[in-house]
Amino acid sequence: MTAFSQLLISGILIGSIYALMSIGLTLVFGVLRVVNFAHGEFLMLAMYGAWGITQVLGLNPYWGLIAIVPAMFLFGAIVHRLIVQPALDKPHLVVVFATMGLSIFMQNVALMAMSADLRDVPPVFAQSVIIGPLYFKAELLLGFVVTLVCTVALQWIIRKTYLGKAIRATVQDGEAAMLMGIPVPHIFLITFAGGSALVGLAACIMLPLFSVFPTVGLNFVLIAFVIVVLGGMGSIEGALLGGICVGVVQSLSGYYIAPAFGQMFFFILFLLVMIFRPNGLLGQKGAANIGMNS
Amino acid sequence: MLEVKSLDAFYGSVQVLHGVSLHVNRGEIVGIVGANAAGKSTLMFTLAGLRTTHTGDIGVDGEPIGHLPAYERTSRGLILVPERRRLFPFMNVLENLEIGAYSPGARAQAKQTIDEVFALLPVLAERRKQVSGSLSGGEQQMLAIGRALMGKPRLLLLDEPTEGLAPIYVKLLFDLIVRLRESGLTVMIVEQNVHHVLRTSDRTYVLENGRVVLEGEGQSLLNDERLKIAYLGL
Ligand SMILES: Nc1ncnc2c1ncn2[C@@H]1O[C@H](COP(=O)(O)OP(=O)(O)OP(=O)(O)O)[C@@H](O)[C@H]1O
Ligand SMILES: [Mg+2]
C-alpha cells in the first residue's frame, strides 16, 4: 500500500511538471491554431540557458527564471515574427514544415555548440520531503506548486483581464474582433511569446530533475503532444489533468509491469481516450480553443 | 464625413467592386440597396478594412484611412456591424459589450457608455449575464448594435441588420436608427428591406454588379423604373 501511494503521488507530481511544459503548446494551438513542432527545442534551448546560468554565475537554476522567462518571451516573439506569422495566411502545411525545419535547425545548432554530452545540475535541495512513510524530492513538490499557481493565474488572466477577453474574442471570431478594434496580429504575437515564456519557466523547474542534451526536446515533446490531445487541445485545465494521467500511468506501470514499457502504457491510455472521448478529457466538441470550455 | 472615390475591390484576383464613388455627410442616414451578390457586403467590409484588397480612396473627415488595418479604423470612428451579427458566442452580453469598447479611447469611457447603451437597449440590461449564443435573433441584433456603440462610432455601418427578424423587431430597429441619428450619429445601412430603407434614409445608393447605378433621395427612388429593374424583388 505504501509503495502504491508513493508511486501514485510521485506520478501526480511528475505529471504536473509534464503539464507545465505542455501549457505553452496548448495555448498557442488554442489561439493561433498552430502546432509548434519546435516546442521541444524551445524547452531544450531554455534548459541550456538555465544550465549556463548555473555554470557561469554559480546560482541554482530557479534563479535562472528571472533571465530565462523574459528571454524566452523575446525569443518567441522573434520566431513568431520571422517564421510563424508569415506562414499564417498560407496553406496549413507551410507552418507545419516551417516549425519542423526550425526544430531540426535548433537541434543541430545545439549539437555543434554543446556537443551531444548530457549536462545536469546538482540537486537544489539537500533533503527530501518526508510525509509519514512517503518520500518526495522537494524539487518535484516545488514544480507541482508552480504548475498549480501557473494554471490558476492563466485561467484568471483569460477570464478576467482585458487581454484575456481580447484573446477569447479573437478565438471565437477573429474578424469580429478586428472590427471591435482588437489588433489580432498583436494578440497572436503576445500569445506565442507568452507560450514560449511558459516553456522557459518549465525549463528552469525541470533542469534540477532532468539532464539536458541536444535532442532532449524530442522526448518531451512526444509527452507534451499526448498530454495536449488527452486533455483536449486548447484546454489549460485539460493539460493539467492530461499531464497527471500520463505521470501516474508512467509511474505505476514502470514499477508494477516494466520500466522499459512505461511509455508504451501512456500511449495505450492515449488510444483509449481517443476512442472513447475523441475531443479529449476536457475538450468540448468542435471547440478546440482557449476559453471555450465554460 | 465619409468620402469614397473610384473604389475597386478584389478577392484575390476576382474583382467585385468597380469604381464605386459615394459620400456620406455628417448626420445623414444613407442606404445601400441592391440584389443578392451586388457587392453590398463587399463594400462594407472594404470600408471597414477586412477581406478584400482595394484601389481607390477611402477618407473619413478628410483623412485617408484606406491603408489602415481594420482595428485602427475603429478608433477613427468608423465601426461596422457585419452581416449575420458575428457576436462572440461563448461570451455573455456584458463581455461582448466590454470587447466593443476595446480601443483605448472608448475603453476610458466604457463605464459611462455601457449605461447609455443599457438605457437605449433595455433588453440587454435584463440579460447581461446571458451567453450571447443563446439570445434570440432580435436580441442578438440589438447586442451587435450595442457592442458597436460601445466603440464610440461617429459613422456606424450596418449590414442587413433586419435579416431574419420578426416585423416588430424590424420596426424597433428602424426607430432605433432614427434615434441614433438624432443623437448625432451618422449611419450607413445596407438593406434588403427596400421600402423601410427608402422611408428612413436621406439618400440611397443602388448597387448592381459592383457598380453604383443610381443615387437618389428616399421616396423619389421608389418610383424610379431603374430601381425596379436593378431590384427584381420589387
Ligand atoms: N470571400 C470571397 N471570395 C470570393 N468571392 C466572394 C467572397 N465574398 C463574396 N464574394 C463574391 O462577391 C460578390 C458580392 O458578394 P457580396 O457578399 O458583397 O454581395 P451582397 O450584395 O452582400 O449580397 P447579399 O445580398 O446576398 O448579402 C458575390 O458574387 C460573391 O460570390
Ligand atoms: Mg451581403
Side-chain angles (χ1 to χ4, degrees), chain A residues 78-91:
Chain A
I78 293 169
V79 168
H80 178 78
R81 203 55 205 78
L82 295 183
I83 296 177
V84 178
Q85 192 186 33
L88 282 180
D89 52 4
K90 307 236 161 50

Side-chain angles (χ1 to χ4, degrees), chain A residues 112-130:
Chain A
M112 276 196 303
M114 303 302 299
S115 82
D117 295 349
L118 272 61
R119 322 271 173 175
D120 33 39
V121 298
V124 178
F125 302 108
Q127 285 178 339
S128 295
V129 176
I130 302 167

Side-chain angles (χ1 to χ4, degrees), chain B residues 24-177:
Chain B
V24 179
N25 300 318
R26 184 179 303 277
E28 267 190 321
I29 298 178
V30 168
I32 307 279
V33 300
N36 287 123
K40 306 179 297 293
S41 298
T42 303
L43 173 62
M44 295 302 240
F45 278 124
T46 305
L47 294 178
L50 282 184
R51 294 195 183 177
T52 60
T53 52
H54 73 270
T55 62
D57 302 330
I58 305 171
V60 170
D61 290 333
E63 234 187 296
I65 61 155
H67 60 289
L68 296 175
Y71 50 87
E72 285 178 22
R73 297 186 194 194
T74 311
S75 49
R76 303 296 170 102
L78 182 151
I79 301 185
L80 168 65
V81 177
E83 219 173 9
R84 281 180 265 289
R85 301 162 191 129
R86 307 288 292 272
L87 297 171
F88 303 114
F90 296 90
M91 291 185 174
N92 65 29
V93 168
L94 208 54
E95 288 176 316
N96 268 277
L97 292 174
E98 281 171 355
I99 292 292
Y102 190 84
S103 52
R107 204 186 303 179
Q109 309 172 51
K111 283 226 156 52
Q112 192 194 334
T113 321
I114 221 165
D115 291 336
E116 292 166 17
V117 168
F118 281 157
L120 203 62
L121 303 164
V123 59
L124 297 183
E126 287 161 27
R127 304 195 168 265
R128 65 181 83 195
K129 292 286 175 202
Q130 189 169 332
V131 171
S132 73
S134 68
L135 295 172
S136 79
E139 291 163 346
Q140 288 194 11
Q141 187 61 56
M142 296 302 155
L143 178 54
I145 294 177
R147 183 179 66 172
L149 293 176
M150 291 298 296
K152 291 277 168 195
R154 287 179 294 137
L155 172 61
L156 186 64
L157 307 180
L158 301 171
D159 192 351
E160 300 209 25
T162 66
E163 192 187 12
L165 295 194
I168 112 151
Y169 264 112
V170 174
K171 182 168 173 334
L172 217 73
L173 200 121
F174 278 99
D175 289 349
L176 175 68
I177 292 168

Side-chain angles (χ1 to χ4, degrees), chain A residues 220-243:
Chain A
F220 286 118
V221 85
L222 264 185
I223 298 178
F225 282 143
V226 170
I227 288 171
V228 166
V229 177
L230 259 186
M233 295 185 77
S235 166
I236 292 168
E237 324 81 294
L240 182 58
L241 192 61

Side-chain angles (χ1 to χ4, degrees), chain A residues 8-25:
Chain A
L8 183 69
I9 297 175
S10 300
I12 291 173
L13 297 182
I14 193 86
S16 73
I17 290 173
Y18 291 160
L20 184 63
M21 84 174 175
S22 311
I23 291 174
L25 190 67

